[in-house]
Amino acid sequence: MSETPVNLDELRNRIDAIDTEILRLISERATCAQTVAQVKTAEDPHAVFYRPEREAQVLRRIMALNAGPLDSEEMARLFREIMSACLALEQPVKVAYLGPEGTFTQQAALKHFGESAKSLPMAAIDEVFREVEAGAANYGVVPVENSTEGVVNHTLDSFMDSSMKISGEVVLRIHHHLLVSSTTRQDKISRIYSHPQSFAQCRKWLDAHYPQAERVPVSSNAEAARLVKTEWHSAAIAGDMAAKLYGLDKIAEKIEDRPDNSTRFLIIGHESVPMSGDDKTSLVVAMRNQPGALHDLLEPFHRHQIDLTRLETRPSRTGAWNYVFFIDFKGHIDQPVVVAMLEEVRLRAAEVKVLGSYPQGVL
Ligand SMILES: O=C(O)C(=O)C[C@]1(C(=O)O)C=C[C@@H](O)C=C1
């Protein structure tokens, strides 16, 4: 082993040499990805370049191999960006998300696809679905549930009417901050803007610190941040992306009432995703209104020892059945045990729609 250099010049020379090597290796990797693209195109002229199951495997492997000193999530984030750049060389990916710019959904899109994907803000969840359905974007990102506030009904409803498949999930820790502009009189804050969900997630903190301020609900956190730019007596509750986008200062950080506050987002697209080795499946099941319907539906999951991770009920809008259940479980539809279980569920339900099998969120 070479001796550890001790002076700054020597250390910097060593870093330069390491960077040269990293540069060479990243370029070699990128060239390899270009060849992968040629192989995919030769096999199928309509080849799909983005492969979520492979990306999940690459990131999991890096996390398992990592021995520090950087922590595994940090290391995986670096590889996330390398893969994002490699994929952009194969085919630039367009991702529609629930906007405007600066929302947590944009942050989730970046976390999942990396900085090299082109992200397109949409004004509403059903617009994200439409954009992907029409082919104007390759993939979409929509919020589906928050650990404090529960399910995002618009997203579940959009799935009922859509042929879109779920190709991935991202879980984001949600940190809210109280933001002001450089002209805000901090001792005179009389109005606070935010999205209703964010108000709900910071309720106790607001009651304790700003009981008198008017709480004004707006369509997104980013919109709240935009409004504050021009009002000297107002503040906004929003996240880091919105703060950065509008150049606001954080006067209180991480003001969410629950420290584990997180939101789960789904990635939607046209393709089915092969097994990654650690997958989840989402279903919509319509049941007839009869006693014991829910028990009948869940019994095959229990018998086949399939791990349910979420069960949501939504009122049916067709009138044909009374219950519609959204079910997430661990496993992939290509696994024999899942095939067997689903066959039984189909016999008991009025309708079963598989929304997709996809890798469990890695980062
Ligand atoms: O393995 C592939 O199919 C690739 O295209 C390579 C690669 C990568 O950079 O590792 C790039 C994009 C895909 O989404 C998955 C992986």
Side-chain angles (χ1 to χ4, degrees), residues 7 11 19 25 32 57 77 91 98 160 202 275 302 350:
N7 78 51
L11 283 166
D19 286 350
L25 289 171
C32 208
Q57 287 163 347
R77 269 197 289 276
Q91 180 206 42
L98 177 63
M160 286 205 231
C202 304
M275 279 195 270
H302 177 67

Side-chain angles (χ1 to χ4, degrees), residues 25-39 86 89-90:
L25 289 171
I26 292 177
S27 302
E28 200 175 314
R29 191 187 193 287
T31 308
C32 208
Q34 282 179 312
T35 315
V36 168
Q38 288 164 8
V39 171
C86 287
L89 266 185
E90 293 187 39

Side-chain angles (χ1 to χ4, degrees), residues 29 36 40 49-51 54-55 58 83 86-87 90:
R29 191 187 193 287
V36 168
K40 284 179 187 166
F49 296 95
Y50 170 58
R51 299 289 168 89
R54 172 66 185 154
E55 295 207 351
V58 169
M83 262 197 301
C86 287
L87 175 61
E90 293 187 39

